[in-house]
Amino acid sequence: MPEPQTHPAVSFDNTAVAFASKSNAELRQMYALFAAMNNNSLVSFGGGVMKKALSWGIPGTKGIIKHTIFQQFCGGETIAECKPVIAELGKYHIGTILDYSVEGEGSEASFDKTRDELLRTIDLAAGNPHIPFSVFKVTGVADSALLEKVQAGQSLTILEQQAYERAQQRIDALCRRAHDKGVRIFVDAEESWFQATIDDLARDMMRRYNQQRPIVWNTYQLYRHDRLEALQADYERGVQEGYFVGAKLVRGAYMEKEARVAQQRGYRNPINPTKQATDDLYDEALRFSVAHLDRLAICAGTHNEASSRLLTELLADAGLAPGDERVWFAQLYGMSDNLSYNLAHAGYNTAKYVPYGPVEAVMPYLLRRADENTAISGQSSREFLLIKREMERRKNKVR
């Protein structure tokens, strides 16, 4: 048994570390933005107004959005615009995961365009120590209706079969480039009615490219009651077939939609009945993962302080160093800096998901972030209070 290690103490309330990269002016801007997001009706009304103003081409709208909510949650409109953000995060030992957040148009041309953009993110990651992962959504390079039809076991027409083969080729192109460049790549999780198809595709890529190390990482949404079992089965399959399994562990992103579709289609809701059940399952997945790092590597994609602290404790109890390459933490850019900066400061492998893309195309993502910050109990208030505390700390320090 390895000896437990004494890890550096991590305080997620240390605002001096959490906001070390922010000037006083930037803190004030964040304060105003999160104060606004505490207002549900303002977020709902403002989101609709922004969408309409953009679609109508009202002068100045894009600039306002770009220098407020876009600036908070996105790295830029292009890879080039993201480079200062990558460098800034890197100064604090936080990696960047460039997330091309343009939602596809569903055409073959748009899928090819997305593939080519994602290849560019992989190429950039290969030459930059501050970009530890690339990431893609399968629906960015494949039609969701086609994925659903495959999962349902329905016969494909000749044209559909050809389209599916092209989708497989795009996915292989991404994972092959990642393998050749030595870049780890996340396959994001999506809706349950085609997630099994995504899982099959991800496993195929792991078999192909994870022979020496975990290059391809699948994502497990632990708000689904069957995902710990899926993780355990994938680990066993990796052991039996001789490849490494990369696993990004998240709680999940489609709860209301999953419940609605399950009711409409008349099957059991795949989501856990309570938040506590999800929290328990997530933490159990962390315990399983740390106990099986012989063939498994994990990224805890979470904004939950209790789960983040648990993972630091599990690493210490297992005698593993904070910087063990098989274990990562990740949060979204613009959120939970108290987790990211304090974890990185203590030597844990930490990264930020940094979305990017044209303002108009990224609007759906931005509106989800705004809704999320009002919907998650205490999330926006938590951010707001931490920013307020840091502003007061700096004010008192000057005195």
Side-chain angles (χ1 to χ4, degrees), residues 9-114:
V10 181
S11 170
F12 296 138
D13 291 323
N14 188 330
T15 59
V17 171
F19 301 111
S21 67
K22 305 297 181 185
S23 67
N24 290 338
E26 288 169 330
L27 268 185
R28 286 193 293 271
Q29 186 170 349
M30 289 173 66
Y31 179 88
L33 183 63
F34 280 102
M37 287 194 297
N38 270 332
N39 187 323
N40 286 20
S41 57
L42 179 62
V43 168
S44 179
F45 174 75
V49 169
M50 283 192 295
K51 284 174 71 175
K52 286 181 180 177
L54 274 176
S55 65
W56 293 343
I58 295 177
T61 302
K62 179 177 175 178
I64 292 170
I65 294 170
K66 188 166 183 178
H67 291 98
T68 53
I69 188 170
F70 183 92
Q71 182 175 281
Q72 178 65 28
F73 296 114
C74 297
E77 292 195 82
T78 64
I79 291 175
E81 283 189 14
C82 291
K83 288 182 178 179
V85 172
I86 296 167
E88 180 67 18
L89 289 171
K91 285 197 319 194
Y92 296 89
H93 309 291
I94 297 171
T96 290
I97 306 166
L98 283 176
D99 183 13
Y100 185 53
S101 295
V102 175
E103 304 197 346
E105 303 164 2
S107 68
E108 292 293 299
S110 73
F111 295 146
D112 287 344
K113 182 179 178 183
T114 297

Side-chain angles (χ1 to χ4, degrees), residues 233-372:
D234 283 343
Y235 166 79
E236 292 297 339
R237 193 176 287 108
V239 170
Q240 291 165 10
E241 299 183 23
Y243 61 86
F244 291 90
V245 175
K248 176 157 66 82
L249 308 180
V250 301
R251 278 169 167 77
Y254 308 100
M255 187 163 64
E256 293 177 1
K257 190 175 183 181
E258 290 281 0
R260 184 175 67 251
V261 172
Q263 184 176 30
Q264 289 170 349
R265 299 186 182 184
Y267 60 78
R268 179 188 174 191
N269 187 350
I271 307 302
N272 288 314
T274 64
K275 182 182 183 301
Q276 188 60 53
T278 293
D279 290 343
D280 292 344
L281 200 63
Y282 190 94
D283 291 348
E284 190 57 36
L286 292 179
R287 293 187 183 94
F288 173 82
S289 298
V290 173
H292 295 86
L293 291 174
D294 57 319
R295 280 278 161 185
L296 193 58
I298 63 163
C299 176
T302 182
H303 292 204
N304 186 284
E305 291 186 15
S307 293
S308 298
R309 189 172 304 284
L310 172 64
L311 183 50
T312 67
E313 293 166 354
L314 291 170
L315 289 174
D317 291 345
L320 300 172
D324 191 298
E325 270 296 302
R326 297 168 295 182
V327 180
W328 284 78
F329 296 79
Q331 292 81 39
L332 295 171
Y333 183 66
M335 294 172 63
S336 298
D337 285 349
N338 64 311
L339 298 185
S340 308
Y341 281 80
N342 280 296
L343 283 166
H345 185 71
Y348 294 93
N349 297 317
T350 310
K352 286 282 199 185
Y353 254 63
V354 178
Y356 77 96
V359 170
E360 300 86 348
V362 177
M363 274 304 295
Y365 172 85
L366 291 174
L367 294 177
R368 281 199 298 274
R369 291 289 76 77
D371 287 340
E372 184 179 70

